[in-house]
Amino acid sequence: MPTAEQTRARLAEIPNLTLSVDTPLSAYTRFGIGGPADLYVETASVPAFIAALEETRASGLPTVVIGGGTNLIVSDAGFRGIVLRYRGESLKAAGECVTAEAGAVLQDLVDFAIENGLKGLETLAGIPGSVGAAVYGNAGAYGHSISERVVEVRFFDGSEVRTLDNAACRFEYRESIFKKQKDWIIFSADLRLEKSDAAVLHRTAADILKVRNEKFPVTMKCAGSIFKNLLMNDLPGTAAAAVPASAVREGKVPAAWFLEQVGAKGMQHGDIHVATYHANLIYNAGTGTAADLCALIAELKTRVRDRFGLDLQEEVQYVG
Ligand SMILES: Cc1cc2nc3c(=O)[nH]c(=O)nc-3n(C[C@H](O)[C@H](O)[C@H](O)COP(=O)(O)OP(=O)(O)OC[C@H]3O[C@@H](n4cnc5c(N)ncnc54)[C@H](O)[C@@H]3O)c2cc1C
């Protein structure tokens, strides 16, 4: 097995790949938190990405793939291994079908669809991050998720590049098969949209963006909602009995409702705060650490478990 130094040298020889050592991951997360990665590689080339994965696999070193870092909590110690990011970001339209590379910014895809008079993604306006991660976590807002529009996903399964159709992606609320197969890397997705009036779509997206920017100021160091909302039908009896009908929306209970009952709003651990206006929004006020963030998350989970017998599940993903 090659040493870490030999792996670094081999990665450095791969064309079209950028490599850095001891890279602070705080610069790659919206929380602005996270220690260094031993190695960080990024490329917009599929062959280079696959070559890098093969080298990392041969090395036996741990690997993780990131997108825009808007849904990540990286430990203060960082990541002892190799962090990879696929940066291919092309967007192509053919009739009502759009092909988006995984490294494209989701908002760019939303804008591209609107400019082409294609309806179906405008309610995703303002969700930060990349297309690849949006497919991975079935991102959504305002009652719609990206899965409604996905026809096919192209990904690397560790041996070859394959495609899965929508059903095979096993999309659910903030879930997909890619969350279970952590070593599968998404390269692109085909989406089917509908012809519509670009001006109307633009207004819908602009209205959504205005509301979202008030809730999540663009400079806020956060991950959006920390915890997933809950399906009413999956709630344990004690929790279901406590929820008023007015709190249930489209069969789901916001995690924020439970958090609010246990006094989450305005809670603080070090420089990590729960927003005073939204119990499921945690942000770094400046000098917060991953340790503070995890301690606050653990405290919130304990309070909800003790009061409602319910285990909240994080929507955020952990690295390191
Ligand atoms: C202010 C704010 C508001 C938000 N609002 C919403 C919302 O309304 N709805 C919503 O759904 N989410 C929301 N989010 C969460 C976040 O935007 C989404 O989860 C987004 O899809 C993450 O994208 P990313 O590129 O930053 O991914 P990262 O945070 O970098 O990674 C997230 C996960 O995706 C995996 N991943 C990334 N790229 C690939 C790839 N190519 N192949 C396989 N796996 C990959 C990573 O391994 C990781 O596990 C919000 C976040 C913020 C900061």
Side-chain angles (χ1 to χ4, degrees):
M1 198 175 277
T3 63
E5 190 49 40
Q6 284 167 335
T7 300
R8 192 193 63 73
R10 286 184 191 181
L11 286 168
E13 280 168 16
I14 298 174
N16 304 316
L17 187 113
T18 307
L19 169 72
S20 61
V21 180
D22 281 339
T23 309
L25 292 174
S26 55
Y28 292 87
T29 62
R30 171 127 172 195
F31 266 122
I33 286 174
D38 290 344
L39 286 177
Y40 174 86
V41 299
E42 62 175 41
T43 176
S45 151
V46 168
F49 195 94
I50 291 174
L53 272 178
E54 280 163 0
E55 286 302 342
T56 58
R57 199 195 300 157
S59 73
L61 294 167
T63 59
V64 67
V65 172
I66 64 166
T70 66
N71 210 25
L72 297 181
I73 298 179
V74 178
S75 83
D76 298 316
F79 187 70
R80 299 291 68 77
I82 304 172
V83 174
L84 300 114
R85 182 172 179 189
Y86 177 64
R87 299 297 299 253
E89 54 186 26
S90 87
L91 301 170
K92 289 190 190 121
E96 297 186 344
C97 190
V98 170
T99 299
E101 282 198 286
V105 171
L106 182 64
Q107 183 64 45
D108 290 347
L109 169 61
V110 172
D111 292 340
F112 178 80
I114 293 173
E115 278 158 24
N116 282 277
L118 293 170
K119 179 181 163 63
L121 298 175
E122 59 287 350
T123 58
L124 308 188
I127 300 180
S130 61
V131 169
V135 171
Y136 167 93
N138 191 15
Y142 293 89
H144 296 281
S145 303
I146 197 165
S147 60
E148 291 165 37
R149 297 294 168 176
V150 170
V151 176
E152 196 168 83
V153 177
R154 186 165 156 265
F155 69 103
F156 183 65
D157 70 1
S159 332
E160 58 176 342
V161 176
R162 292 202 281 138
T163 56
L164 287 184
D165 67 13
N166 184 296
C169 289
R170 292 200 223 136
F171 289 117
E172 286 173 40
Y173 169 67
R174 300 293 174 271
E175 286 293 336
S176 75
I177 193 166
F178 301 101
K179 267 199 173 173
K180 283 151 197 115
Q181 302 283 348
K182 295 274 184 196
D183 52 342
W184 288 6
I185 313 301
I186 299 165
F187 284 133
S188 66
D190 290 348
L191 303 113
R192 181 161 303 283
L193 305 171
E194 290 155 44
K195 280 278 173 216
S196 188
D197 181 343
V200 174
L201 299 174
H202 182 75
R203 268 200 302 281
T204 305
D207 289 348
I208 288 174
L209 266 176
K210 189 166 175 291
V211 174
R212 291 187 65 103
N213 286 342
E214 278 163 18
K215 190 162 146 194
F216 307 114
V218 286
T219 52
M220 184 180 251
K221 296 177 169 186
C222 67
S225 299
I226 286 285
F227 298 106
K228 288 185 194 174
N229 293 329
L230 298 110
L231 295 171
M232 187 65 189
N233 288 342
D234 292 348
L235 289 181
T238 35
V243 178
S246 58
V248 185
R249 273 179 280 160
E250 291 153 6
K252 291 196 205 83
V253 189
W257 185 85
F258 293 102
L259 292 162
E260 219 175 308
Q261 312 313 307
V262 299
K265 279 182 175 169
M267 268 175 72
Q268 195 175 334
H269 204 290
D271 218 7
I272 302 290
H273 299 241
V274 180
T276 50
Y277 58 92
H278 187 348
N280 195 13
L281 173 59
I282 297 183
Y283 64 94
N284 173 11
T287 58
T289 63
D292 292 333
L293 184 50
C294 292
L296 187 53
I297 289 172
E299 169 68 19
L300 292 171
K301 288 178 83 163
T302 303
R303 287 190 185 191
V304 170
R305 191 180 306 119
D306 290 351
R307 169 96 172 261
F308 295 103
L310 177 70
D311 281 318
L312 288 181
Q313 275 182 14
E314 289 92 324
E315 189 174 320
V316 283
Q317 308 285 301
Y318 292 94
V319 173

